[in-house]
PDB file of all heavy atoms in Angstrom:
ATOM      1  N   LEU A  34       8.366  -6.720   1.432  1.00 92.00           N
ATOM      2  CA  LEU A  34       7.624  -5.595   0.851  1.00 92.00           C
ATOM      3  C   LEU A  34       7.987  -5.439  -0.634  1.00 92.00           C
ATOM      4  O   LEU A  34       7.104  -5.295  -1.472  1.00 92.00           O
ATOM      5  CB  LEU A  34       7.948  -4.297   1.591  1.00 92.00           C
ATOM      6  CG  LEU A  34       7.403  -3.012   0.967  1.00 92.00           C
ATOM      7  CD1 LEU A  34       5.902  -2.961   1.042  1.00 92.00           C
ATOM      8  CD2 LEU A  34       8.015  -1.795   1.651  1.00 92.00           C
ATOM      9  N   ALA A  35       9.271  -5.480  -0.941  1.00 93.00           N
ATOM     10  CA  ALA A  35       9.698  -5.363  -2.348  1.00 93.00           C
ATOM     11  C   ALA A  35       9.111  -6.486  -3.183  1.00 93.00           C
ATOM     12  O   ALA A  35       8.581  -6.249  -4.275  1.00 93.00           O
ATOM     13  CB  ALA A  35      11.223  -5.394  -2.427  1.00 93.00           C
ATOM     14  N   TYR A  36       9.175  -7.696  -2.674  1.00 93.00           N
ATOM     15  CA  TYR A  36       8.641  -8.848  -3.405  1.00 93.00           C
ATOM     16  C   TYR A  36       7.148  -8.700  -3.651  1.00 93.00           C
ATOM     17  O   TYR A  36       6.654  -8.889  -4.760  1.00 93.00           O
ATOM     18  CB  TYR A  36       8.940 -10.140  -2.629  1.00 93.00           C
ATOM     19  CG  TYR A  36       8.364 -11.368  -3.278  1.00 93.00           C
ATOM     20  CD1 TYR A  36       8.983 -11.937  -4.395  1.00 93.00           C
ATOM     21  CD2 TYR A  36       7.205 -11.955  -2.798  1.00 93.00           C
ATOM     22  CE1 TYR A  36       8.466 -13.062  -5.000  1.00 93.00           C
ATOM     23  CE2 TYR A  36       6.672 -13.077  -3.397  1.00 93.00           C
ATOM     24  CZ  TYR A  36       7.311 -13.633  -4.504  1.00 93.00           C
ATOM     25  OH  TYR A  36       6.785 -14.737  -5.101  1.00 93.00           O
ATOM     26  N   ASN A  37       6.402  -8.344  -2.597  1.00 90.00           N
ATOM     27  CA  ASN A  37       4.946  -8.204  -2.718  1.00 90.00           C
ATOM     28  C   ASN A  37       4.562  -7.104  -3.713  1.00 90.00           C
ATOM     29  O   ASN A  37       3.555  -7.206  -4.405  1.00 90.00           O
ATOM     30  CB  ASN A  37       4.326  -7.891  -1.366  1.00 90.00           C
ATOM     31  CG  ASN A  37       4.398  -9.058  -0.409  1.00 90.00           C
ATOM     32  OD1 ASN A  37       4.681 -10.194  -0.791  1.00 90.00           O
ATOM     33  ND2 ASN A  37       4.186  -8.788   0.876  1.00 90.00           N
ATOM     34  N   ALA A  38       5.369  -6.058  -3.792  1.00 89.00           N
ATOM     35  CA  ALA A  38       5.076  -4.925  -4.664  1.00 89.00           C
ATOM     36  C   ALA A  38       5.663  -5.095  -6.065  1.00 89.00           C
ATOM     37  O   ALA A  38       5.479  -4.239  -6.912  1.00 89.00           O
ATOM     38  CB  ALA A  38       5.630  -3.642  -4.047  1.00 89.00           C
ATOM     39  N   LYS A  39       6.384  -6.186  -6.273  1.00 90.00           N
ATOM     40  CA  LYS A  39       7.053  -6.422  -7.559  1.00 90.00           C
ATOM     41  C   LYS A  39       8.084  -5.320  -7.858  1.00 90.00           C
ATOM     42  O   LYS A  39       8.291  -4.929  -9.000  1.00 90.00           O
ATOM     43  CB  LYS A  39       6.049  -6.585  -8.689  1.00 90.00           C
ATOM     44  CG  LYS A  39       5.149  -7.795  -8.514  1.00 90.00           C
ATOM     45  CD  LYS A  39       4.154  -7.918  -9.625  1.00 90.00           C
ATOM     46  CE  LYS A  39       3.285  -9.131  -9.523  1.00 90.00           C
ATOM     47  NZ  LYS A  39       2.581  -9.379  -8.305  1.00 90.00           N
ATOM     48  N   ALA A  40       8.700  -4.846  -6.797  1.00 93.00           N
ATOM     49  CA  ALA A  40       9.756  -3.842  -6.913  1.00 93.00           C
ATOM     50  C   ALA A  40      11.110  -4.539  -6.766  1.00 93.00           C
ATOM     51  O   ALA A  40      11.169  -5.717  -6.374  1.00 93.00           O
ATOM     52  CB  ALA A  40       9.602  -2.778  -5.826  1.00 93.00           C
ATOM     53  N   LEU A  41      12.176  -3.845  -7.059  1.00 95.00           N
ATOM     54  CA  LEU A  41      13.520  -4.375  -6.887  1.00 95.00           C
ATOM     55  C   LEU A  41      13.835  -4.435  -5.398  1.00 95.00           C
ATOM     56  O   LEU A  41      13.663  -3.451  -4.674  1.00 95.00           O
ATOM     57  CB  LEU A  41      14.522  -3.457  -7.606  1.00 95.00           C
ATOM     58  CG  LEU A  41      15.969  -3.899  -7.615  1.00 95.00           C
ATOM     59  CD1 LEU A  41      16.143  -5.071  -8.577  1.00 95.00           C
ATOM     60  CD2 LEU A  41      16.869  -2.754  -8.020  1.00 95.00           C
ATOM     61  N   GLY A  42      14.313  -5.567  -4.928  1.00 96.00           N
ATOM     62  CA  GLY A  42      14.658  -5.739  -3.512  1.00 96.00           C
ATOM     63  C   GLY A  42      16.149  -5.699  -3.308  1.00 96.00           C
ATOM     64  O   GLY A  42      16.890  -6.535  -3.835  1.00 96.00           O
ATOM     65  N   VAL A  43      16.623  -4.706  -2.582  1.00 97.00           N
ATOM     66  CA  VAL A  43      18.050  -4.520  -2.327  1.00 97.00           C
ATOM     67  C   VAL A  43      18.319  -4.753  -0.847  1.00 97.00           C
ATOM     68  O   VAL A  43      17.814  -4.026   0.008  1.00 97.00           O
ATOM     69  CB  VAL A  43      18.519  -3.106  -2.732  1.00 97.00           C
ATOM     70  CG1 VAL A  43      20.015  -2.944  -2.510  1.00 97.00           C
ATOM     71  CG2 VAL A  43      18.146  -2.800  -4.179  1.00 97.00           C
ATOM     72  N   LEU A  44      19.124  -5.753  -0.555  1.00 97.00           N
ATOM     73  CA  LEU A  44      19.489  -6.052   0.827  1.00 97.00           C
ATOM     74  C   LEU A  44      20.858  -5.472   1.128  1.00 97.00           C
ATOM     75  O   LEU A  44      21.825  -5.739   0.397  1.00 97.00           O
ATOM     76  CB  LEU A  44      19.516  -7.567   1.064  1.00 97.00           C
ATOM     77  CG  LEU A  44      19.957  -7.982   2.459  1.00 97.00           C
ATOM     78  CD1 LEU A  44      18.869  -7.654   3.478  1.00 97.00           C
ATOM     79  CD2 LEU A  44      20.302  -9.452   2.492  1.00 97.00           C
ATOM     80  N   VAL A  45      20.944  -4.681   2.185  1.00 97.00           N
ATOM     81  CA  VAL A  45      22.234  -4.192   2.666  1.00 97.00           C
ATOM     82  C   VAL A  45      22.628  -5.032   3.873  1.00 97.00           C
ATOM     83  O   VAL A  45      21.793  -5.311   4.736  1.00 97.00           O
ATOM     84  CB  VAL A  45      22.214  -2.678   2.994  1.00 97.00           C
ATOM     85  CG1 VAL A  45      22.082  -1.852   1.742  1.00 97.00           C
ATOM     86  CG2 VAL A  45      21.110  -2.329   3.966  1.00 97.00           C
ATOM     87  N   LEU A  46      23.875  -5.431   3.911  1.00 97.00           N
ATOM     88  CA  LEU A  46      24.341  -6.324   4.966  1.00 97.00           C
ATOM     89  C   LEU A  46      24.872  -5.570   6.189  1.00 97.00           C
ATOM     90  O   LEU A  46      25.724  -6.069   6.898  1.00 97.00           O
ATOM     91  CB  LEU A  46      25.425  -7.260   4.404  1.00 97.00           C
ATOM     92  CG  LEU A  46      24.948  -8.192   3.282  1.00 97.00           C
ATOM     93  CD1 LEU A  46      26.134  -8.973   2.722  1.00 97.00           C
ATOM     94  CD2 LEU A  46      23.870  -9.125   3.782  1.00 97.00           C
ATOM     95  N   THR A  47      24.361  -4.384   6.434  1.00 94.00           N
ATOM     96  CA  THR A  47      24.822  -3.576   7.568  1.00 94.00           C
ATOM     97  C   THR A  47      23.946  -3.754   8.794  1.00 94.00           C
ATOM     98  O   THR A  47      24.176  -3.127   9.818  1.00 94.00           O
ATOM     99  CB  THR A  47      24.852  -2.083   7.193  1.00 94.00           C
ATOM    100  OG1 THR A  47      23.550  -1.724   6.702  1.00 94.00           O
ATOM    101  CG2 THR A  47      25.900  -1.803   6.146  1.00 94.00           C
ATOM    102  N   GLY A  48      22.931  -4.567   8.682  1.00 92.00           N
ATOM    103  CA  GLY A  48      21.987  -4.707   9.783  1.00 92.00           C
ATOM    104  C   GLY A  48      21.786  -6.134  10.204  1.00 92.00           C
ATOM    105  O   GLY A  48      22.722  -6.893  10.401  1.00 92.00           O
ATOM    106  N   GLU A  49      20.539  -6.511  10.261  1.00 89.00           N
ATOM    107  CA  GLU A  49      20.118  -7.756  10.860  1.00 89.00           C
ATOM    108  C   GLU A  49      20.440  -9.018  10.050  1.00 89.00           C
ATOM    109  O   GLU A  49      20.775 -10.056  10.601  1.00 89.00           O
ATOM    110  CB  GLU A  49      18.601  -7.693  11.079  1.00 89.00           C
ATOM    111  CG  GLU A  49      18.015  -8.878  11.728  1.00 89.00           C
ATOM    112  CD  GLU A  49      16.577  -8.667  12.064  1.00 89.00           C
ATOM    113  OE1 GLU A  49      16.273  -7.741  12.856  1.00 89.00           O
ATOM    114  OE2 GLU A  49      15.759  -9.406  11.539  1.00 89.00           O
TER     115      GLU A  49
END
Side-chain angles (χ1 to χ4, degrees):
L34 171 68
Y36 177 78
N37 291 346
K39 297 179 177 53
L41 184 73
V43 181
L44 177 72
V45 291
L46 298 175
T47 54
E49 182 173 299

